[in-house]
Amino acid sequence: MIWAELQTASTGSWYVKSGENISLHINIMDIDSANMMGQMTPTCTGCTGFIATVRAVRNEQFFKEMEPGTDYTVISGVVANSTSGADITIVPINLPTGWYGIEVLLNDTTTGNQYFGWGGFEIRNFWTKLLFVQETSPGSGNYTATTPVFSKGGNIQLALMALQPPTPLTPPTPLPITSASIENLRNENYWPPLPVEGKITQTGSLTDGNIIGLFGDQPVQAKIMNLTLADDIEESTYMLTVRVTVSDGSSDVGSEIFRVSSYQTSFRFVPESKGYEWPPVYSNAENVTLFIEATNFDGSPHNLSNIT
C-alpha cells in the first residue's frame, strides 16, 4: 500500500494556500501488514533506496490533468529505511485553487519495478460555500436551504459565503464578497463529467441575504446569486462551480450539485424505524418496502405510473 499525506498544511492537515509548496509524506506498507481493525504500522520490506515521485496531478474540481514542467515540478524523495517512507515536494508553477488527486510512483532502481499509490490535497485562498436556498417570503431578505431539484427553465437562488478557514484557536471568519461569476457547469451523468455551455445564466446582480437555520438560530449573512436554467437543458444531475472574489481582490471557487427534473421524488422506509438505522440491514428472507412519493414543483402530487 502506498499513500501520500499532506505535511505543510496552512491550517489543519488538508489544504495549502495558493502559491505554497506542497510537501507530502509517502507512506509505504507491505500489504500483509495492514490491519483493518486497528492502527497500521507503515513498514515496507526491501524498500530502502526506492525513489518516490509523482506520476500525475489532477485538479478534480475542474477535471483537468496538470502538465509537469508547465504547471508544477516535483522534488523526489528517497526511502531511507523500512519504516521511513519518503518525503516529496510539489512546487506549483500554475496550479489553480481546487481539490487535487495525485498518482504516486515508487521506483525500484535496482530491478526497474514500479509501484503506484495515491494521495490528495487542496489549494485554497479561502473557503467558498454554496447553498441552494429559497426566500421565506418575497422581499424579506431571509432564506432557508431548499432541496436542490429544479425544473427546466426554472429560477435558482444560490447563497454564496466566503470564509477564512479556521485554525485550532479561531473559528471560520466571514470575508466580504465583491463579485461572483459562473465558472463552469458539468453534467454528472457522463464520465468524465460533460462540460455544458449556455444552459445556465446569472440574472441581475448579487443581493444581500440572511440564511436562517444554517448554524442554529443565528442568521448567517450571505450574497444571493440569481440563476436561470435554459428551457432545453437536459434532465440530469449537474455540478455547478462558481468563482467568488472578496474585498482584497483574491478569488476562489466553490462547487455544489443539483438536479434538473420534471418533478421531485422522495422515499422513506416501511417501517419508518428502518430509516434510523445506518446502514439499514435486512436478512435475505426479508422484503424491503419503500414508500415513494412524487410532487410537482408547486407541491401538488405527481402521478407515478411505473417505478423500477
Side-chain angles (χ1 to χ4, degrees), residues 16 22 57-62 64-66 71-72 90 92 94-102 119-124:
V16 296
I22 301 130
V57 176
R58 298 184 181 91
N59 187 314
E60 305 288 2
Q61 201 158 6
F62 291 97
K64 179 182 179 182
E65 183 158 344
M66 312 309 293
D71 297 319
Y72 67 95
I90 298 174
N94 184 33
L95 293 181
T97 58
W99 56 74
Y100 285 81
I102 64 170
F121 57 89
E122 287 192 50
I123 298 175
R124 290 290 170 217

Side-chain angles (χ1 to χ4, degrees), residues 220-237:
V220 176
Q221 292 185 339
K223 289 292 186 180
I224 306 300
M225 187 181 201
N226 292 289
L227 305 166
T228 301
L229 296 173
D231 293 332
D232 60 349
I233 189 171
E234 180 183 350
E235 292 191 7
S236 187
T237 299

Side-chain angles (χ1 to χ4, degrees), residues 99-114:
W99 56 74
Y100 285 81
I102 64 170
E103 293 181 15
V104 178
L105 180 64
L106 197 64
N107 289 299
D108 181 345
T109 56
T110 301
T111 66
N113 291 336
Q114 294 183 323

Side-chain angles (χ1 to χ4, degrees), residues 103-141:
E103 293 181 15
V104 178
L105 180 64
L106 197 64
N107 289 299
D108 181 345
T109 56
T110 301
T111 66
N113 291 336
Q114 294 183 323
Y115 307 90
F116 299 93
W118 53 270
F121 57 89
E122 287 192 50
I123 298 175
R124 290 290 170 217
N125 290 318
F126 51 83
W127 283 353
T128 302
K129 180 174 178 56
L130 310 183
L131 182 69
F132 295 103
V133 296
Q134 60 183 0
E135 198 167 15
T136 55
S137 60
S140 68

